[in-house]
Amino acid sequence: QSVLTQPPSVSGAPGQRVTISCTGSSSNIGAGYDVHWYQQLPGTAPKLLIYGSSNWPSGVPDRFSGSKSGTSASLAITGLQAEDEADYYCQSYDSSLSGWVFGGGTKLTVL
Amino acid sequence: QITLKESGPTLVKPTQTLTLTCTFSGFSLSTSGVGVGWIRQPPGQALEWLALIYWNDDKLYSPSLKSRLTITKDTSKNQVVLTMTNMDPVDTATYYCAHTDDSSGDRYFDYWGQGTLVTVSS
């Protein structure tokens, strides 16, 4: 059981907007630690998508955006494209575990 | 350009010790704030953080695996080594190493290796 909770799957049609939630607790997201998001295309290593809850690394399109509130965070993808079909993971730091924690991952299907 | 690459055995027997090496380039593990972590992913399952070593030799371990893990660095060789004792079939996974720099206060992995699949079987 992952420390951060994500929905197992989400789906959307091309051009639509989807959101992926990431729920934590008072020892991680709720404690003020930032949330970071990774995209993992099939058969590849994870790639940093959003850092510091809402910042883009170089090269990541602004169709991807992140937000954080309380003990939760969200990743939004607008203008859905076929190449967005991947697994998405949230990650933060947990003070009670003194370590880094990942969500269980969400599989995005583009219909 | 930062790159990382994992190396080690592809097959280990139950109860054996796994030793994985992460060889990196494009950064120095003696630079303030820089760290290298290990993350694994069983087939079809989620990412799991294992361990992290910082430039100043500070080490963090996943509490659930702490007793089995050791992480070390060789700054001169640009390598980080992870050992995991008493391997079990449930430890079958792709093991990744990744770069972090928390000098800004954020803790995330911005560069990842390609991963290496380790199978535990007799």
Side-chain angles (χ1 to χ4, degrees):
Chain A
Q1 200 76 342
S2 301
V3 173
L4 304 178
T5 301
Q6 299 180 234
S9 63
V10 298
S11 63
Q16 283 190 333
R17 177 181 186 270
V18 296
T19 61
I20 298 172
S21 61
C22 175
T23 303
S25 67
S26 58
S27 60
N28 42 68
I29 301 174
Y33 295 105
D34 272 322
V35 178
H36 319 290
W37 292 91
Y38 302 87
Q39 177 192 58
Q40 187 176 32
L41 297 170
T44 69
K47 166 193 165 186
L48 181 66
L49 194 65
I50 297 285
Y51 69 93
S53 298
S54 59
N55 301 296
W56 298 278
S58 174
V60 172
D62 60 6
R63 299 187 298 104
F64 297 90
S65 62
S67 63
K68 187 185 85 164
S69 179
T71 59
S72 296
S74 290
L75 172 71
I77 310 172
T78 58
L80 208 55
Q81 300 179 3
E83 55 261 37
D84 298 333
E85 193 160 282
D87 293 324
Y88 293 83
Y89 293 91
C90 60
Q91 175 254 309
S92 185
Y93 179 84
D94 192 288
S95 57
S96 65
L97 298 174
S98 295
W100 299 38
V101 290
F102 284 95
T106 298
K107 182 175 181 60
L108 168 62
T109 300
V110 180
L111 302 171
Chain B
Q1 178 192 2
I2 291 177
T3 64
L4 305 98
K5 188 172 184 179
E6 307 85 355
S7 59
T10 58
L11 179 66
V12 297
K13 290 180 167 43
T15 76
Q16 286 187 336
T17 293
L18 171 69
T19 299
L20 294 173
T21 300
C22 176
T23 303
F24 57 85
S25 63
F27 66 94
S28 172
L29 204 37
S30 59
T31 300
S32 178
V34 172
V36 172
W38 286 93
I39 305 98
R40 72 178 179 180
Q41 184 174 37
Q45 297 185 43
L47 301 170
E48 178 184 19
W49 171 73
L50 300 177
L52 185 72
I53 189 166
Y54 281 106
W55 63 282
N56 59 359
D57 213 38
D58 278 352
K59 301 167 187 176
L60 298 176
Y61 294 102
S62 167
S64 63
L65 293 166
K66 185 173 184 176
S67 63
R68 298 173 54 203
L69 296 174
T70 302
I71 190 169
T72 60
K73 64 180 175 69
D74 186 329
T75 305
S76 64
K77 291 184 179 179
N78 282 353
Q79 290 182 333
V80 170
V81 174
L82 180 76
T83 61
M84 180 180 292
T85 61
N86 195 24
M87 293 292 285
D88 183 272
V90 299
D91 296 313
T92 294
T94 296
Y95 288 75
Y96 297 97
C97 63
H99 167 276
T100 184
D101 184 342
D102 73 350
S103 53
S104 65
D106 277 333
R107 297 167 182 171
Y108 55 85
F109 295 113
D110 49 3
Y111 297 92
W112 293 63
Q114 64 189 26
T116 185
L117 176 61
V118 177
T119 301
V120 185
S121 174
S122 54

